[in-house]
Amino acid sequence: MKILVTGGMGYIGSHTVIELINRGNEVIIADNLSNSKKSVLDIVEAITGKRPEFYEIDVADKAELEVIFKAHAIDAAIHFAGLKAVGESVSMPLEYYKNNIMSTIALLECMKAYGCKAFIFSSSATVYGDPAVLPITEDFPLSATNPYGATKLMIERILTDFQYANKDFSVTLLRYFNPIGAHPSGLIGEDPNGIPNNLVPLVIKAAKGERVLSVYGRDYSTPDGTGVRDYIHVCDLADGHIGALKNADKPGVYIYNLGTGNGFSVLEIINAFEQVNKVKVPYVFAERRPGDIAACYADCGKAEREIGFRASRGIEEMCRDAWNFAKSM
Ligand code: WQD
């Protein structure tokens, strides 16, 4: 298949591009490089032997996006492009709503105009808000506690309404839990521009002696008092997108959790990282981070039943691959 990957130069996008090419697909990337580097193209080529065609554009700019659809008969679009820092979204909501919503609408308009009928969306477990019980299934109530999460909810609604009005379309919503780790080659991984927000890039900085990690809260109602999350290897996440392509020629709306079904606490991640990589991760306990929830992990049975997806990489592999990449940075 010929697949357009928006945000394909980013962390999850680039790992998915590699897997798509390895499975024989032709990939076109559209990315504005706001949170990624052009050198990713060289790494994708080094790993796969293929260099995807790359358009450095703002996906929200319909005219720029249309150039791609005029030049290529796209079979499916995987939409990663978007701003994604929870804290930042609170301080700059308009940028988040404008960028994340308008890029989705521009993409849908081009797809409709050029007969591309399969849309796979990079959604997030953040749409579940603070779940009353665990594990989380796809029919749980949805809510947003910040503008970033609100854009994910709105985009899911836009896609659902669009498919209702265009019954020959296939829409798949993939709700990611906490992606960590890196490609086993060590050539590509999580390399955010600026100061990271997420736990593992900050664990890595602590392991490198660049800063002491702050553990945000130790009084949650969890086994050791620290936050529990469902961490999934980024390569498993890429495999989940390959599975989602099975729906490409089946009109409808499909929703899947992409996680492992296992919850790990902050302290368990720190310990696993230290054990696997034989390093020390200096940390101190700090106040809870506003907006954080105590625990979140997935029931992933639906993805396994419907698209044959099941995460296969454990926490040790996630910690090892993350460190293996980070050492090269
Ligand atoms: C994980 C745990 C923190 C940093 C967010 C988004 C979600 C998705 C993944 C985009 C929590 C604790 C963290 C630190 C810490 N992003 N922590 N010290 O908040 O679960 O999810 O990123 O799609 O939508 O909400 O991920 O990695 O920030 O935090 O103690 O310096 O680590 O409290 O318990 P989170 P995270």
Side-chain angles (χ1 to χ4, degrees):
M1 294 174 79
K2 182 175 276 194
I3 299 168
L4 170 61
V5 181
T6 73
M9 301 289 269
Y11 173 44
I12 303 168
S14 57
H15 286 80
T16 302
V17 164
I18 288 167
E19 206 44 49
L20 288 169
I21 294 172
N22 286 343
R23 308 288 184 104
N25 298 286
E26 183 182 350
V27 172
I28 314 286
I29 297 175
D31 197 307
N32 66 1
L33 299 179
S34 65
N35 193 27
S36 51
K37 299 176 177 74
K38 197 167 182 181
S39 55
V40 164
L41 268 187
D42 303 324
I43 297 165
V44 169
E45 186 174 15
I47 293 172
T48 66
K50 298 268 176 58
R51 190 178 186 85
E53 195 159 344
F54 170 57
Y55 291 79
E56 186 176 351
I57 63 160
D58 175 359
V59 176
D61 183 327
K62 190 183 165 192
E64 288 191 333
L65 197 55
E66 199 160 14
V67 167
I68 299 174
F69 281 87
K70 282 195 172 110
H72 300 278
I74 305 289
D75 297 307
I78 304 180
H79 186 37
F80 292 101
L83 298 173
K84 61 149 205 148
V86 169
E88 185 185 61
S89 77
V90 175
S91 57
M92 40 193 295
L94 285 187
E95 287 80 356
Y96 271 70
Y97 288 118
K98 186 175 178 184
N99 180 76
N100 293 5
I101 306 299
M102 292 315 292
S103 61
T104 303
I105 289 173
L107 181 55
L108 284 170
E109 288 177 330
C110 286
M111 290 175 70
K112 186 171 168 70
Y114 290 88
C116 174
K117 299 183 186 306
F119 194 117
I120 296 173
F121 177 54
S122 153
S123 191
S124 167
T126 202
V127 300
Y128 293 116
D130 191 356
V133 294
L134 293 169
I136 298 171
T137 51
E138 289 83 354
D139 58 349
F140 267 31
L142 306 180
S143 65
T145 58
N146 56 74
Y148 160 75
T151 66
K152 292 295 186 184
L153 263 187
M154 288 177 193
I155 293 167
E156 289 199 0
R157 177 63 194 267
I158 290 166
L159 290 168
T160 304
D161 290 346
F162 177 84
Q163 198 283 334
Y164 185 80
N166 299 274
K167 294 268 191 288
D168 56 349
F169 263 70
S170 166
V171 165
T172 299
L173 310 177
L174 299 178
R175 293 172 179 165
Y176 308 160
F177 281 69
N178 286 59
I180 65 171
H183 191 268
S185 66
L187 297 174
I188 197 165
E190 190 167 12
D191 183 12
N193 295 346
I195 298 178
N197 302 292
N198 293 129
L199 176 65
V200 169
L202 290 163
V203 163
I204 286 167
K205 283 189 176 295
K208 285 183 170 181
E210 292 170 10
R211 59 188 296 157
V212 174
L213 176 73
S214 294
V215 175
Y216 295 140
R218 62 184 308 190
D219 58 350
Y220 285 107
S221 52
T222 59
D224 64 20
T226 63
V228 168
R229 297 291 186 274
D230 186 331
Y231 297 94
I232 177 171
H233 196 295
V234 66
C235 293
D236 274 331
L237 209 48
D239 291 342
H241 291 75
I242 301 296
L245 283 174
K246 291 175 185 163
N247 294 334
D249 57 355
K250 298 177 192 146
V253 177
Y254 306 89
I255 305 175
Y256 304 110
N257 289 336
L258 292 188
T260 65
N262 306 312
F264 285 92
S265 74
V266 178
L267 291 180
E268 286 172 325
I269 292 291
I270 292 170
N271 294 335
F273 198 89
E274 290 181 329
Q275 299 299 319
V276 165
N277 298 312
K278 310 278 185 282
V279 294
K280 279 306 285 173
V281 176
Y283 67 88
V284 292
F285 288 106
E287 289 304 305
R288 292 183 177 191
R289 181 172 63 177
D292 271 357
I293 61 175
C296 172
Y297 52 90
D299 175 320
C300 311
K302 190 181 177 201
E304 185 168 5
R305 289 191 300 276
E306 294 191 9
I307 56 173
F309 170 76
R310 184 183 177 82
S312 63
R313 298 162 176 93
I315 203 71
E316 293 75 15
E317 195 168 349
M318 294 181 220
C319 291
R320 186 178 62 241
D321 289 343
W323 184 239
N324 185 39
F325 167 69
K327 286 186 296 187
S328 66
M329 284 168 69

